[in-house]
Amino acid sequence: VCSYGVPIPPSIFSFRAKEIKTKLGILLQKPDSAVDLVIPYNEKPEKPAKTRKPSLDEALQWRDSLDKLLQNNYGLTSFKSFLKSEFSEENLEFWLACEDYKKIKSPAKMAEKAKKMYEEFIQTEAPREVNIDHFTKDITMKNLVEPSLSSFDVAQKRIYALMEKDSLPRFVRSEFYQELVK
């Protein structure tokens, strides 16, 4: 009986139960992509895996040079771990994807990779959208009409400048970097 005193047939309850079961089943399915996964927060950045620990002098150079940090495997891994701990690794991931993109020789593979990079990092509401201005986004989109090795250059330079100005100073102040240069 509903709140108005009208009897409810039992078939309504079974229909409702099936509907709820279906919705729960959808929620419990395996995610189709990594975007659907919930990644647990890791309080401490992972230590770089099996790379030579830099000398104190090398590590100190990272404070003033993002290039030197990115060229050093230990530095790159440390920086990536730090950014992951802050949930802000998309800029570095984009920059690295651009570096890989520049190594592609085949025009077909280049077009395929360019499309993936656009969908992952550039388009509005992309899963790992990087923070670039509309002007840079427009230039990048125009460059992708006919993909070339330089299609992402403007966006990559903007992201590099952002990491240099924002991410690098935060990394240098981090506990992980401070432990390294003790």
Side-chain angles (χ1 to χ4, degrees), residues 49-85:
K50 298 191 180 182
T51 53
R52 182 187 63 79
K53 190 173 179 178
S55 68
L56 177 61
D57 195 41
E58 283 176 300
L60 287 172
Q61 290 177 13
W62 301 346
R63 291 186 301 193
D64 305 315
S65 173
L66 182 58
D67 273 334
K68 289 187 179 178
L69 172 67
L70 297 175
Q71 290 167 5
N72 181 291
N73 284 338
Y74 194 97
L76 176 61
T77 306
S78 300
F79 190 50
K80 188 184 286 190
S81 294
F82 167 73
L83 292 174
K84 279 184 180 182
S85 77

Side-chain angles (χ1 to χ4, degrees), residues 18-51:
K18 283 180 186 173
E19 185 183 3
I20 291 170
K21 186 177 179 183
T22 302
K23 287 182 179 179
L24 279 174
I26 290 168
L27 288 173
L28 295 173
Q29 285 179 355
K30 272 187 161 178
D32 292 328
S33 70
V35 174
D36 298 332
L37 294 174
V38 176
I39 301 168
Y41 175 71
N42 187 3
E43 286 185 31
K44 283 194 171 183
E46 297 169 21
K47 291 209 175 180
K50 298 191 180 182
T51 53

